[in-house]
Amino acid sequence: MAELRRSPLYDRHVALGAKLAEFGGWEMPIEYAGRGVLAEHQAVRTAVGVFDVSHLGKAEVTGPGAAAFVNACLTNDLARIQPGQAQYTLCCTEDGGVVDDLIAYLISDEHVLLVPNAANNAEVAALLAAAAPPAVTVTNRHADLAVLAVQGPAAPRLVAALELPTDGAYMSFVEASWKGLPVIVCRSGYTGERGFELLPRWADAPALWDALFAAGTAFDVSPVGLGARDTLRTEMGYPLHGQDLSRSITPVQARSGWAVGWDKPSFWGRDALLAERAAGAGRLLWGLRATGRAIPRAHMAVTSPAGDPIGEVTSGTFSPSRREGIGLALLDRGITEGATVHVDVRGRPSPMTVVRPPFVDSSPR
């Protein structure tokens, strides 16, 4: 078995008593001693939490026509945004499956920074490098930049306390400086709360982490692990690659068509996705809310009340905000909002209601 990789903040997590586990080939904090997933979740919803997500990939595409090249490969349309803005997009196979979902930072027409998921960074970079014209260079920068996510209602005040910019619009970013050190500040996140993702150099991450927690005592800051990251994103209905999006779950099925530039002349998987959209997907991603005490989990079977198979849970958890079981599920075409379905929870059919995510307030934060 390959040795797990570690973020530049590994020592900080150990000092905080973090429960560490494998995630995407990395040894990352799931929760912290004396806190736990529920408390960390609530900290993000009510105050501010700081996540180490340095395991996320980074790949740089540079050279004349770099942005146009990326736009011809990935699904979303970079022409919709300007330099200084970031965009959620997908890397698809020719049959429409999803290799990865990622964020593209448009720095200029000749410079795009991509942030894929940890386990898929090398593959995304390799696919782009293989397709790149001679003038365009694709560089795997996985361990050159760290990523700290500062999320929650008090996030703007905490970031401002470090004299970093906080006034950008959602999905905009600034190449800023902190104590003379370069750091990208992006108004983004994976929690549904107002927040920022900070991308310092790898070696600078510990000092930035320490500064956030020193300043954060005034804002009741909490370190947050990947356990709460999962409950927070599930409450928002945000997909997780490998569960709600995958090589066998297309953007059409996952209701991620908003991240596809349907009018673009080219992107990987275009013909297959256009055909599926025109024909109508045979299954679609829905939300599930438990009507009892059951908690849906990934891969649990979903049936009609009569017992007919109609789908499978892709993500599921206990919602700390709602105090009930929630999940995402791929259900047969024809299932409608408000329908009652049964989820096989340890051999027991548990009734749940089909809903449209998010499960919590999604007003602008």
Side-chain angles (χ1 to χ4, degrees):
M1 180 178 176
E3 184 176 353
L4 295 180
R5 303 178 72 175
R6 291 174 173 175
S7 95
L9 297 166
Y10 174 81
D11 291 344
R12 300 301 194 273
H13 303 318
V14 172
L16 288 166
K19 176 183 177 182
L20 298 160
E22 188 277 336
F23 190 87
W26 292 69
E27 190 174 10
M28 298 299 293
I30 303 303
E31 60 183 77
Y32 292 88
R35 301 288 293 174
V37 171
L38 296 182
E40 291 170 20
H41 178 110
Q42 289 303 115
V44 174
R45 290 279 184 246
T46 61
V48 60
V50 179
F51 304 72
D52 174 18
V53 285
S54 300
H55 64 303
L56 291 174
K58 303 98 194 171
E60 208 163 37
V61 186
T62 56
F69 162 67
V70 171
N71 203 30
C73 298
L74 306 184
T75 61
N76 215 333
D77 190 353
L78 279 176
R80 295 172 178 169
I81 65 173
Q82 302 294 323
Q85 292 180 297
Q87 184 183 72
Y88 177 82
T89 189
L90 306 163
C91 176
C92 288
T93 59
E94 287 304 331
D95 66 1
V98 182
V99 175
D100 200 22
D101 60 339
L102 59 157
I103 303 295
Y105 288 71
L106 181 59
I107 297 171
S108 72
D109 290 343
E110 298 189 358
H111 191 180
V112 181
L113 175 65
L114 302 175
V115 180
N117 286 292
N120 302 321
N121 185 75
E123 183 174 9
V124 170
L127 287 170
L128 289 166
V136 172
T137 300
V138 180
T139 306
N140 185 336
R141 298 193 61 195
H142 205 157
D144 292 342
L145 298 172
V147 186
L148 306 184
V150 184
Q151 302 283 298
R157 287 180 288 159
L158 176 52
V159 173
L162 270 62
E163 299 183 347
L164 289 169
T166 60
D167 56 355
Y170 182 61
M171 293 300 281
S172 68
F173 68 90
V174 176
E175 296 181 273
S177 175
W178 174 72
K179 294 187 179 297
L181 305 173
V183 57
I184 297 172
V185 179
C186 187
R187 182 50 192 94
S188 57
Y190 194 50
T191 66
E193 294 298 329
R194 189 169 182 86
F196 303 84
E197 290 176 306
L198 312 179
L199 283 72
R201 294 179 303 192
W202 193 263
D204 299 336
L208 183 59
W209 173 275
D210 292 345
L212 286 167
F213 281 92
T217 56
F219 309 112
D220 197 22
V221 68
S222 175
V224 186
L226 298 185
R229 182 173 164 88
D230 191 60
T231 58
L232 289 158
R233 71 92 190 170
T234 304
E235 287 187 344
M236 294 304 299
Y238 294 158
L240 176 65
H241 187 269
Q243 293 184 196
D244 315 299
L245 284 165
S246 69
R247 289 178 182 269
S248 61
I249 304 174
T250 70
V252 178
Q253 296 165 23
R255 300 185 188 271
S256 296
W258 60 269
V260 178
W262 295 107
D263 295 330
K264 291 198 305 180
S266 67
F267 57 87
W268 294 339
R270 180 178 183 272
D271 291 346
L273 292 174
L274 282 170
E276 183 179 36
R277 185 178 70 154
R283 55 184 187 168
L284 290 170
L285 197 67
W286 283 97
L288 298 177
R289 285 182 56 192
T291 56
R293 298 181 63 182
I295 300 174
R297 300 293 186 186
H299 307 301
M300 288 180 173
V302 184
T303 65
S304 70
D308 300 317
I310 58 171
E312 182 179 80
V313 177
T314 55
S315 286
T317 191
F318 173 78
S319 165
S321 300
R322 299 192 61 89
R323 312 298 294 181
E324 65 184 12
I326 61 171
L328 301 174
L330 274 174
L331 303 179
D332 289 348
R333 183 178 178 179
I335 302 299
T336 57
E337 184 176 7
T340 296
V341 299
H342 287 172
V343 175
D344 184 348
V345 180
R346 295 186 297 277
R348 178 177 299 175
S350 300
M352 301 196 185
T353 303
V354 176
V355 299
R356 289 184 181 272
F359 299 93
V360 296
D361 177 28
S362 63
S363 59
R365 297 174 186 271

